Amino acid sequence: MLIDFAPAPARTRESRAVPYVVAAVAFAGYAAWSLQRLRTFDASGFDLGIFEQVVRSYAHGHWPVSDLLGADFPTLGDHFHPILALLAPFYLLWPSPGCLLVAQALLFALSAVPVTRCAIRLLGTRRGALVGAGYVLSWGLLSAVNFDFHEICFAVPMLAFTAEHLLHERWRPAVWCALPLVLVKEDLPLTLAAVGVVLVLNRQRRLGWTVLVFGVGTSALLFLVVLPALNPAGAYAHGGGLNPFGGAIVKVSMLLALLAPTAFAALRSPLLLLAVPTLLWRLVSANDRYWGMGYHYSAVLMPIVFIAGLHGARRLKRYLPACAVVVGLASLGLQAAHLTDGVWTPAQRAGIDAVLARIPDGATVLASNRLAPHLTSRCTVLFFDGVTGERPEWVVVAQPEQSWPTTLATKAAALAELADTGYERVDGTDAVVLLHRE
């Protein structure tokens, strides 16, 4: 049974403003961090370039495709994320990958409002603000900021507001906040089903069972029918098999890190059930990228864990702010180590920009991963991996190349082959090579 915070501290004008101040500071930091990564060529075609191609398709009134995934590849057959169409009007005003990064920063920052508001209601203004700061610095959010753009940025504030409404027994508003999850990604309707479970546990049986059945049914429809129908291969692209017993140390470490900011108080709250679907598919997957603390996979868990921790704190109230801030500062230190000037000097980056400017708008380009996001707003960009066999008019390759997803030797051989099959080097520096063929 969920229990509302009582008695609630008196809410002053200061306490009402603090959540928005925390969110504003978070937005500035997230946006600056993301744009710095783009400026230094640390952002990548996989995934920022892919998502820009999706939003660009919507903005021009087309079915969403990403040529980085394959020529005219229908992205709704890769992941189901029609909510990205909401970014189209903003992209028309600012046709740049920066538009997506700033939108993500805003959505992540918005989630700090309900988290901080709940913390202030329980702990008072000052300590609540500290919990809000710990949330903003939480490793799941910073890791996502540090790895391009992803559709899950929409789910983070949805789940934050959903958890806040559940905490205060506002059942129907909680459902309305969670319903759009079905448009964000194919696994998130299962999180909506978990909202239904929490409602049933709180004796909201009719509403709870309706939400639960709808969530499970929607996910099944997406996994078994919609995604295979839209995918050129006729199957779900990210099944990848099961390995529930692999990587035990990595998985346990991730779970401990997830609960640490709340001093494990989240374990005392039924709100933590909202995290179960995401954790379950990650922990049983054979894909080891899902097991740890990297990438964007834990961002949706952060608002759930923090608000569950506030609900479950009780006797741990005095320790919660300090714990959240200490873990947050540790997270900031670890992630800031990745915020560098990139592999190229400022002079080399200026040279790369000059070379990329040689490629005309509307051209079709085969591009390296780090170069792709700097072209996707104005060109048709394909991914240079050394094996695709695509032969567009323009090819631009970074030096040094990344040893992903193929080897450096494979890419070097492919570059040499291009020079032997009609391509001429028309520009380049020690950091980039530009080839062209008539």
Side-chain angles (χ1 to χ4, degrees):
M1 185 79 177
L2 296 181
I3 302 173
D4 200 357
F5 296 142
R11 299 193 69 196
T12 64
R13 180 177 300 179
E14 177 189 6
S15 69
R16 287 193 293 269
V18 166
Y20 299 96
V21 173
V22 171
V25 173
F27 169 65
Y30 292 159
W33 189 311
S34 300
L35 293 174
Q36 166 70 1
R37 293 187 72 254
L38 178 63
R39 185 181 69 84
T40 58
F41 291 88
D42 277 340
S44 59
F46 279 68
D47 293 317
L48 178 58
I50 291 172
F51 283 108
E52 185 180 5
Q53 289 179 330
V54 173
V55 175
R56 187 184 180 197
S57 297
Y58 282 126
H60 291 91
H62 301 149
W63 182 257
V65 299
S66 173
D67 293 297
L68 285 165
L69 290 173
D72 291 322
F73 188 94
T75 55
L76 291 179
D78 183 55
H79 286 301
F80 189 76
H81 40 48
I83 199 166
L84 291 176
L86 294 179
L87 295 179
F90 305 100
Y91 186 80
L92 287 173
L93 296 174
W94 183 19
S96 162
C99 177
L100 277 66
L101 295 173
V102 170
Q104 176 172 263
L106 180 62
L107 289 164
F108 281 167
L110 179 62
S111 71
V113 172
V115 173
T116 307
R117 194 158 52 203
C118 289
I120 289 174
R121 180 161 183 170
L122 175 65
L123 304 169
T125 302
R126 292 183 181 180
R127 290 194 295 173
L130 287 175
V131 172
Y135 171 76
V136 165
L137 297 175
S138 61
W139 60 267
L141 293 181
L142 292 187
S143 181
V145 169
N146 211 27
F147 183 53
D148 293 354
F149 170 93
H150 298 89
E151 72 279 86
I152 54 88
C153 63
F154 283 94
V156 175
M158 290 178 194
L159 288 168
F161 283 103
T162 296
E164 180 187 31
H165 286 310
L166 289 174
L167 187 63
H168 300 314
E169 300 183 359
R170 299 192 289 261
W171 311 122
R172 292 187 181 276
V175 172
W176 284 115
C177 286
L179 271 177
L181 290 171
V182 302
L183 303 176
V184 178
K185 195 164 172 277
E186 60 275 7
D187 63 286
L188 287 170
L190 293 176
T191 302
L192 175 62
V195 172
V197 172
V198 173
L199 292 173
V200 171
L201 292 176
N202 282 273
R203 300 188 179 91
Q204 305 299 309
R205 292 184 178 86
R206 178 177 297 180
L207 179 61
W209 279 109
T210 300
V211 172
L212 194 162
V213 171
F214 178 76
V216 172
T218 302
S219 245
L221 181 66
L222 292 176
F223 280 117
L224 301 177
V225 179
V226 175
L227 286 164
L230 296 177
N231 190 291
Y236 179 54
H238 301 280
L242 303 177
N243 185 13
F245 304 109
I249 295 177
V250 176
K251 292 174 180 177
V252 170
S253 298
M254 183 270 290
L255 292 173
L256 292 175
L258 184 67
L259 296 169
T262 66
F264 296 86
L267 290 171
R268 299 170 62 96
S269 172
L271 285 175
L272 195 59
L273 290 171
L274 302 186
V276 170
T278 297
L279 286 173
L280 187 60
W281 71 255
R282 288 177 58 189
L283 295 177
V284 303
S285 173
N287 189 337
D288 58 5
R289 290 180 300 171
Y290 298 155
W291 302 344
M293 297 170 60
Y295 306 108
H296 58 287
Y297 300 115
S298 295
V300 296
L301 301 176
M302 293 297 113
I304 298 170
V305 169
F306 268 78
I307 294 182
L310 289 166
H311 178 228
R314 300 176 189 175
R315 297 178 183 178
L316 298 174
K317 291 179 184 179
R318 68 179 66 182
Y319 305 111
L320 193 58
C323 191
V325 169
V326 168
V327 175
L329 290 174
S331 170
L332 178 62
L334 290 172
Q335 293 297 328
H338 299 288
L339 186 63
T340 67
D341 287 332
V343 300
W344 295 302
T345 66
Q348 287 175 314
R349 293 198 297 269
I352 294 172
D353 286 333
V355 170
L356 296 180
R358 291 279 309 270
I359 302 172
D361 292 353
T364 300
V365 189
L366 199 63
S368 295
N369 189 39
R370 284 191 292 251
L371 305 180
H374 298 265
L375 293 166
T376 43
S377 62
R378 62 185 186 88
C379 296
T380 298
V381 183
L382 306 167
F383 183 41
F384 175 75
D385 60 4
V387 298
T388 58
E390 298 287 348
R391 295 293 185 267
E393 183 180 358
W394 296 89
V395 178
V396 62
V397 180
Q399 303 290 324
E401 252 290 359
Q402 292 175 305
S403 57
W404 175 88
T406 55
T407 66
L408 293 176
T410 299
K411 293 185 178 184
L415 187 60
E417 181 187 351
L418 289 171
D420 294 335
T421 55
Y423 283 89
E424 178 184 356
R425 176 170 172 155
V426 293
D427 205 346
T429 68
D430 60 342
V432 66
V433 175
L434 179 62
L435 305 178
H436 178 257
R437 70 176 176 89
E438 298 296 337

